[in-house]
Amino acid sequence: MQQGLIVETLSPGNGIKPQKGQKVQVHYRGYLVGGKLFDKSDKDAGPFQFVLGANKVIKGWEEGIKQMSKGEKAKITCPPEYGYGKKGTQGIPPNSTLIFEVELVDFK
């Protein structure tokens, strides 16, 4: 079994990566290993935004999104220690591996 965070590029971006402290904007869909969708961004409301390095999102996003470049689409596989760990959260059982399809729309 693979260990650690896995970032697979589905569609390359422009090569420019976000830096700590920048506000990133992403569209995403989050799945459990069995394929159940547990969360997604709302394209009508615009991309989800957060400050990279502020630790306001799961570790898998902090580590995975900083490896992406603007415009890139990637699949980020987060083992439990990069997600919600032993506690889980609403709709996500404890010790769950999470799979995200993410598009890094922009950052400033």
Side-chain angles (χ1 to χ4, degrees):
M1 183 171 181
Q2 293 181 328
Q3 300 291 319
L5 185 73
I6 301 168
V7 180
E8 301 171 72
T9 298
L10 303 175
S11 176
N14 69 359
I16 302 170
K17 297 181 180 184
Q19 302 298 311
K20 184 176 180 179
Q22 289 186 304
K23 183 181 281 186
V24 298
Q25 299 176 358
V26 298
H27 284 301
Y28 72 94
R29 294 174 74 83
Y31 300 91
L32 298 175
V33 170
K36 180 182 177 189
L37 177 70
F38 66 83
D39 196 13
K40 65 179 182 173
S41 59
D42 182 349
K43 294 233 181 204
D44 292 334
F48 177 75
Q49 301 180 48
F50 68 97
V51 175
L52 194 62
N55 297 316
K56 300 292 184 184
V57 295
I58 61 171
K59 183 179 177 182
W61 273 37
E62 289 283 359
E63 297 297 320
I65 290 172
K66 73 180 182 183
Q67 297 179 40
M68 296 174 65
S69 65
K70 185 175 178 178
E72 181 175 342
K73 293 181 182 179
K75 177 178 156 184
I76 302 176
T77 302
C78 303
E81 63 270 22
Y82 285 85
Y84 294 99
K86 295 177 182 177
K87 292 184 178 183
T89 191
Q90 186 176 4
I92 300 173
N95 297 312
S96 292
T97 294
L98 308 176
I99 301 167
F100 293 94
E101 293 172 355
V102 180
E103 176 186 3
L104 180 54
V105 176
D106 199 4
F107 53 86
K108 298 176 185 169

